[in-house]
Amino acid sequence: MSFDISIKIAGQAGQGIQSIAEILLKVLKLNGLHVFAYQDYMSRVRGGHNFMQVRISDSPVYSIKEDCNILVALDTNSVDVHRNEVPKGGAIIYDPHSTMVDSPDNRFIPIPMNNLAKEVGSPILSNTISAGSILALLDINKMDAEEFVKKQFAKKGEEVIEKNLKALERGYLYFLENFRSWKFTDIKAQKNNKLIMINGSEAVGFGAIAGGCQFIAAYPMSPSTGVFTYITGKAKEFNIISEQAEDEIAAINMALGASFSGARAMTTTSGGGLSLMAEGLSLAGVMEAPVVVVNAQRPGPATGLATRTGQEDLEYVLHIGHGEFPRFVFAPGHPEEAFYTTIHAFNLSDKYQVPAFILIDQYFADTYATAKEFDLNKVKAISSQPSAFSNDYKRYQITKSGVSPRAYPMQGDFTFIADSHEHTENGHITEDGEVRNKMVEKRFRKLKGMQKEFGKPTYYYGDKLVPSSFKKGKAKTVFLAWGSNYGVVRETVDYLKKQKRSVAMLHFNRIYPFPRKEAIAFLKGAKEIITVENNYQGQFGNILKAETGIEVDGKILKYDGRPFTVEYILKRI
Amino acid sequence: MENTNPFHYEGELSWCPGCGDFQILKSVEKALTSLNKKPSEVVLVSGIGQAAKLPHYMKANGFNGLHGRALPPAFGIKSFNRDLTVLVTTGDGDCYGEGGNHLIHAIRRNIDITVIVHNNQVYGLTKGQASPTSEVGMVTKTQPFGVVSLPFNPIAFAIAMDTPFVARSYSKDIDFTADLIKQGIETKGFALIDILQPCVSFNKINTYQWYSQRAYKLDNNYDPTNRVKAFEKSLEWGDKIPIGVIYRSQRQTYDETLDRLGIKPQVNSQPDLSKVKSLLSEF
């Protein structure tokens, strides 16, 4: 890592933070640079205080930093809130005409963004002016930015493109003309480094499409809406039925109906909506209906912090739905893992006829990160439905594996019933105790097969990712992570490794069925086990104890609705 | 005809003797048989309640889901496989109470399904509490001082929602009901058929005698396409209760919208890998 720069773009909702960040991120990506960008926003459409954090490096980056090297302050409040986060030698870009600054020191770079924007045509162009100045400060060739502007505004016509190109140039040159002596750091483009840039929502949505999703019904709820929006945007192209349901109860039940007809079906929601789905999920359990459920977590209880992050639904998702039934629960750690995991979730839900949950959170959903291009041949959509059935077909036939052949209507001349009651092999209501026992046992027999499937934990030991064949852990201190904390714990391990500490991370993507054997193997010999979670109770630590008897020695927890940083974790070790 | 009923189910039925549900079951079978439907191309969707047991008592495909939630799976089933004939068999509690919200939005979507509401104005399965259509003043164990809330008027509601096919029947007249169900199935779009049905165990007010005295068939001069007149008709309740097709209209169905967009996924089809690849370049 020859450089590691953090930029914060701060202002009110509606001021164009995202427009600036978008140009910046796309241009950095085109230059082969690794970026990691997180948006912190309030639950409002205008006003308030929002910011976007962008970290740039020539090596992969996985988390955000508390301090920043460059602050782009779009209003006075942003200067007040963030000026102390910029160390000496850092830069604070602001508009001297609209932003009041008390005693500006040599970090402050006044750029009259509004006036320059008016000069080139319209105040609305001030975002492009800012982007131009930031690129000049980073000493990045603006040609890529010009290409991006042309693409971005292609639909809006020549005039808009022309004006934005002018604004980009004006911002770029204004910086060079007035602050040429500002030498920030050496950022070398790595043009042959082919990267994609994707956020967590897109990665799950893209995975769903690659996983053969054919039906999605959902109700909009932050922070899950991004996944729904992404898939719906591609619905026509990929032959997917997408419906905005009247509520989450309808959403899950629609998905189960489609699943009955033979569809690969899914729904997306967040905690409150998930609660409404509880009965429907129980129905999926007894009907043995495949369905993929994405739950993007935010802090609760109830409405909680609507636009912020948390990992509070883990124990809930393990048990949601009355009665007992098996399920898959996944919690991918980064966009690439989310992409493959979503495809697996569709395949496995189909194979075992159980609901498969994908747990993400606001931080994960809204964070952009660069990654190597995904390998589309690594995991493919596979259907486990048999193609032919005899006319004495039984929907809930008792089998050794617990999985009954799943047919859909009109696959032959036979008929079948999917039933919410306990039922016979034919799907008819029964109260017979013996049949009941057989059915419960049949459903739970699936666990044996499910346990062997995709989703071993990742042991990260220094700069090595140890594959699952690795038999036991080596480090004295092991940090436990699940879901979105992969990145920040990984970077904590990197930092401590440099201090010659014997540390590792054990990250769990699949939480149910719990990979017991692997967890025990990797944690054997560890002197200290610390769980890092965005909740109050250390839920994963509790699950580990219940599943393996292993007790954690420490918990690093955060439940203020904001993501972890390496600094935060280090202070608490 | 009787002998060639392919929908006949050989098994025990757990309704009370004399229940109007038996008549509705016969009407459904008759309607489907007259349309030459095959059991394998029919799906009966239900929630919970006495009416919701119907899918178990016919030879056809069935989805017996959750209380109040028959309409959402019916949407999922039909939108994914538009070749299916989808009937929802539900009750006044299931459809107008627990699942009321879904009824509003299912009609808005106008998916091509036929909804048969066994309306007995009482809760049967839970043994005699008031339902959304119970008369004001009806005394039950949970309404010991009599029902206070106004009964829901499904017909007026459905007309207000511009439902393509709105009908009311009386379960005792099996042929008449069968014909209405047949027309409902033939209608493109959402069809609501509210069937007045005596509950011999728990409703001592709205009895066979009560309905027989009041129900009368709309005559041939009645024009169900006149929305204002239909609305007027829907308010008629008391000494005389009209049965028949009360309202008809036409608008684009959800099915047609999907057809127009060319969205028709096939079971077991894989996503086009070259198209998936092209998505990568957008990131």
Side-chain angles (χ1 to χ4, degrees):
Chain A
M1 200 180 275
S2 66
F3 64 89
D4 183 356
I5 297 167
S6 281
I7 303 177
K8 242 176 219 178
I9 307 164
Q12 297 169 25
Q15 274 198 312
I17 295 169
Q18 274 180 315
S19 316
I20 301 172
E22 194 172 7
I23 300 179
L24 201 63
L25 289 172
K26 289 278 163 67
V27 173
L28 292 165
K29 185 208 85 166
L30 287 171
N31 277 279
L33 299 169
H34 294 271
V35 296
F36 186 92
Y38 170 67
Q39 197 184 357
D40 182 298
Y41 59 100
M42 294 176 77
S43 184
R44 53 196 288 177
V45 179
R46 289 279 184 275
H49 178 70
N50 293 356
F51 60 91
M52 184 105 179
Q53 282 169 279
V54 181
R55 198 168 148 211
I56 315 162
S57 177
D58 54 348
S59 310
V61 271
Y62 297 98
S63 71
I64 47 165
K65 294 211 152 181
E66 286 177 9
D67 290 346
C68 61
N69 310 88
I70 300 169
L71 170 68
V72 181
L74 300 181
D75 65 352
T76 306
N77 181 43
S78 297
V79 175
D80 298 340
V81 173
H82 299 292
R83 66 185 292 171
N84 291 336
E85 295 166 4
V86 184
K88 247 188 185 172
I92 301 174
I93 292 177
Y94 71 108
D95 188 330
H97 300 291
S98 60
T99 304
M100 307 289 289
V101 176
D102 280 339
S103 51
D105 50 49
N106 56 8
R107 296 173 302 170
F108 283 81
I109 302 177
I111 310 260
M113 299 174 240
N114 260 310
N115 286 355
L116 295 176
K118 277 184 214 151
E119 271 175 38
V120 291
S122 157
I124 207 168
L125 295 163
S126 68
N127 295 323
T128 315
I129 300 266
S130 320
S133 295
I134 302 166
L135 289 173
L137 170 65
L138 294 173
D139 197 16
I140 286 190
N141 192 310
K142 70 177 193 315
M143 262 163 58
D144 288 323
E146 287 166 357
E147 282 309 306
F148 172 74
V149 164
K150 282 179 200 165
K151 246 198 198 160
Q152 182 76 356
F153 298 108
K155 278 189 190 147
K156 294 192 172 168
E158 273 306 307
E159 202 190 323
V160 176
I161 294 177
E162 213 40 54
K163 277 185 179 167
N164 274 282
L165 287 176
K166 253 195 211 162
L168 192 74
E169 168 118 354
R170 194 71 194 94
Y172 200 89
L173 290 180
Y174 186 89
F175 181 87
L176 291 185
E177 283 156 13
N178 298 282
F179 308 100
R180 186 173 286 276
S181 58
W182 250 95
K183 183 72 186 159
F184 196 73
T185 187
D186 263 336
I187 294 186
K188 283 201 190 71
Q190 307 182 9
K191 284 280 189 183
N192 51 1
N193 199 6
K194 223 173 152 0
L195 298 171
I196 60 166
M197 189 174 59
I198 191 164
N199 70 24
S201 295
E202 292 168 340
V204 172
F206 183 27
I209 290 170
C213 170
Q214 297 173 313
F215 185 98
I216 180 167
Y219 187 86
M221 182 172 182
S222 294
S224 69
T225 316
V227 179
F228 182 33
T229 310
Y230 179 80
I231 295 168
T232 304
K234 311 289 179 197
K236 193 171 181 298
E237 198 182 342
F238 286 90
N239 214 359
I240 298 167
I241 296 169
S242 167
E243 180 63 8
Q244 182 177 316
E246 55 271 29
D247 54 36
E248 288 85 351
I249 298 174
I252 182 70
N253 281 285
M254 284 174 170
L256 295 180
S259 180
F260 173 85
S261 270
R264 289 198 154 208
M266 76 182 293
T267 184
T268 57
T269 189
S270 184
L274 188 73
S275 295
L276 290 186
M277 289 187 188
E279 194 188 16
L281 290 163
S282 184
L283 179 62
V286 78
M287 274 194 174
E288 305 188 46
V291 65
V292 173
V293 181
V294 177
N295 180 42
Q297 300 165 99
R298 69 191 216 190
T303 310
L305 300 169
T307 61
R308 305 213 172 265
T309 202
Q311 292 185 306
E312 302 174 8
D313 297 345
L314 181 62
E315 288 187 312
Y316 186 46
V317 163
L318 287 189
H319 302 286
I320 189 169
H322 55 291
E324 301 172 294
F325 57 94
R327 66 197 76 195
F328 280 107
V329 177
F330 296 107
H334 49 90
E336 188 184 358
E337 189 166 67
F339 173 74
Y340 297 127
T341 299
T342 308
I343 305 173
H344 280 298
F346 272 97
N347 288 343
L348 293 172
S349 173
D350 183 54
K351 183 172 175 183
Y352 291 96
Q353 301 170 29
V354 295
F357 294 88
I358 299 172
L359 270 179
I360 57 171
D361 53 50
Q362 182 269 327
Y363 168 59
F364 188 88
D366 294 336
T367 296
Y368 278 92
T370 42
K372 283 227 169 77
E373 272 199 355
F374 300 158
D375 180 359
L376 300 181
N377 292 311
K378 195 168 156 185
V379 198
K380 282 186 178 163
I382 300 164
S383 170
S384 300
Q385 295 190 49
S387 51
F389 300 89
S390 61
N391 272 351
D392 62 349
Y393 170 69
K394 288 179 179 146
R395 173 64 189 93
Y396 300 108
Q397 191 191 333
I398 302 283
T399 61
K400 213 175 145 194
S401 66
V403 179
S404 315
R406 173 172 163 245
Y408 52 90
M410 293 176 78
Q411 211 170 1
D413 285 333
F414 57 85
T415 61
F416 67 94
I417 292 187
D419 189 15
S420 65
H421 305 82
E422 190 55 271
H423 40 249
T424 61
E425 284 185 288
N426 283 317
H428 283 300
I429 302 173
T430 186
E431 292 187 30
D432 184 309
E434 208 175 306
V435 177
R436 157 71 178 176
N437 283 347
K438 278 190 178 154
M439 280 296 161
V440 173
E441 288 153 16
K442 168 191 122 64
R443 290 192 286 268
F444 274 102
R445 268 204 301 282
K446 296 176 188 177
L447 273 177
K448 204 174 161 198
M450 288 164 66
Q451 182 64 263
K452 292 181 193 140
E453 298 286 355
F454 164 81
K456 306 272 184 281
T458 302
Y459 191 75
Y460 180 75
Y461 183 67
D463 46 31
K464 261 193 226 105
L465 281 171
V466 181
S468 52
S469 60
F470 190 75
K471 285 289 184 287
K472 68 188 230 290
K474 280 186 166 175
K476 282 186 184 148
T477 300
V478 179
F479 293 99
L480 300 176
W482 62 277
S484 65
N485 284 334
Y486 172 91
V488 73
V489 177
R490 181 187 164 131
E491 288 194 344
T492 304
V493 168
D494 286 340
Y495 179 88
L496 292 171
K497 271 280 175 194
K498 280 189 198 133
Q499 318 285 311
K500 305 277 180 234
R501 295 270 301 267
S502 172
V503 289
M505 165 177 75
L506 189 57
H507 178 270
F508 290 79
N509 175 15
R510 193 183 83 203
I511 298 175
Y512 201 83
F514 193 82
R516 216 171 286 142
K517 240 169 51 192
E518 291 80 4
I520 292 169
F522 282 123
L523 294 174
K524 209 193 290 170
K527 293 248 157 34
E528 188 185 29
I529 300 166
I530 300 169
T531 187
V532 182
E533 302 182 53
N534 283 100
N535 57 50
Y536 181 80
Q537 301 181 96
Q539 293 184 17
F540 183 83
N542 296 340
I543 293 163
L544 177 77
K545 189 181 172 191
E547 291 281 347
T548 64
I550 298 172
E551 220 162 320
V552 297
D553 302 291
K555 297 175 183 177
I556 298 179
L557 306 169
K558 198 168 195 289
Y559 37 85
D560 60 357
R562 276 75 175 169
F564 278 106
T565 59
V566 174
E567 297 96 309
Y568 182 96
I569 296 174
L570 291 176
K571 269 183 224 155
R572 281 158 184 85
I573 293 174
Chain B
M1 211 56 178
E2 306 289 306
N3 301 331
T4 58
N5 171 12
F7 296 96
H8 182 71
Y9 166 75
E10 296 279 350
E12 198 196 341
L13 276 61
S14 68
W15 291 320
C16 308
C19 177
D21 282 331
F22 291 101
Q23 300 154 352
I24 298 174
L25 174 66
K26 266 194 191 150
S27 303
V28 174
E29 289 178 352
K30 219 169 180 154
L32 288 166
T33 309
S34 73
L35 288 165
N36 290 318
K37 296 282 179 194
K38 283 178 11 191
S40 60
E41 62 191 26
V42 173
V43 184
L44 301 165
V45 187
S46 69
I48 294 295
Q50 295 295 357
K53 290 179 184 170
L54 191 142
H56 290 281
Y57 302 154
M58 252 177 79
K59 189 176 159 31
N61 297 301
F63 183 107
N64 180 190
L66 299 170
H67 188 39
R69 319 299 169 202
L71 291 171
F75 168 82
I77 290 165
K78 177 70 176 182
S79 63
F80 189 74
N81 185 350
R82 269 110 69 195
D83 298 329
L84 289 167
T85 297
V86 177
L87 305 183
V88 173
T89 61
T90 177
D92 38 329
D94 197 47
C95 192
Y96 303 147
E98 187 100 6
N101 191 29
H102 305 309
L103 181 61
I104 298 174
H105 300 282
I107 297 174
R108 285 181 53 229
R109 283 182 191 102
N110 199 21
I111 188 87
D112 186 9
I113 60 174
T114 303
V115 179
I116 299 159
V117 186
H118 305 215
N119 183 358
N120 58 8
Q121 302 181 258
V122 75
Y123 279 2
L125 192 69
T126 53
K127 303 191 173 167
Q129 300 82 4
S131 92
T133 53
S134 295
E135 311 263 342
V136 170
M138 180 178 173
V139 174
T140 84
K141 281 187 183 164
T142 49
Q143 285 83 16
F145 314 112
V147 170
V148 174
S149 303
L150 214 58
F152 177 70
N153 182 336
I155 305 293
F157 164 81
I159 296 166
M161 294 297 296
D162 201 17
T163 309
F165 183 88
V166 184
R168 180 191 283 132
S169 195
Y170 170 34
S171 66
K172 204 179 169 192
D173 195 335
I174 294 170
D175 287 338
F176 188 70
T177 306
D179 183 58
L180 290 176
I181 294 171
K182 182 175 170 242
Q183 290 185 58
I185 294 169
E186 285 173 324
T187 300
K188 272 190 182 176
F190 196 96
L192 180 77
I193 304 163
D194 184 74
I195 304 177
L196 303 173
Q197 171 221 351
C199 171
V200 292
S201 296
F202 299 109
N203 192 333
K204 305 298 181 197
I205 300 169
N206 311 104
T207 58
Y208 276 105
Q209 196 192 4
W210 193 92
Y211 286 122
S212 294
Q213 279 169 358
R214 289 166 173 79
Y216 76 94
K217 289 175 189 166
L218 290 165
D219 64 30
N220 289 338
N221 298 327
Y222 177 75
D223 174 15
T225 62
N226 184 327
R227 199 172 182 188
V228 175
K229 287 268 184 262
F231 196 72
E232 229 174 77
K233 204 36 96 183
S234 75
L235 301 179
E236 216 177 292
W237 181 273
D239 291 343
K240 289 185 85 187
I241 301 171
I243 58 173
V245 182
I246 297 175
Y247 182 62
R248 262 184 191 285
S249 74
Q250 258 187 331
R251 66 192 155 94
Q252 178 147 295
T253 65
Y254 197 96
D255 315 54
E256 286 164 346
T257 304
L258 288 177
D259 287 342
R260 185 168 49 79
L261 292 169
I263 297 178
K264 198 172 170 80
Q266 299 297 315
V267 178
N268 289 344
S269 64
Q270 311 289 316
D272 181 341
L273 204 62
S274 66
K275 270 190 180 173
V276 175
K277 225 168 229 163
S278 74
L279 287 187
L280 251 189
S281 63
E282 291 175 9
F283 296 116

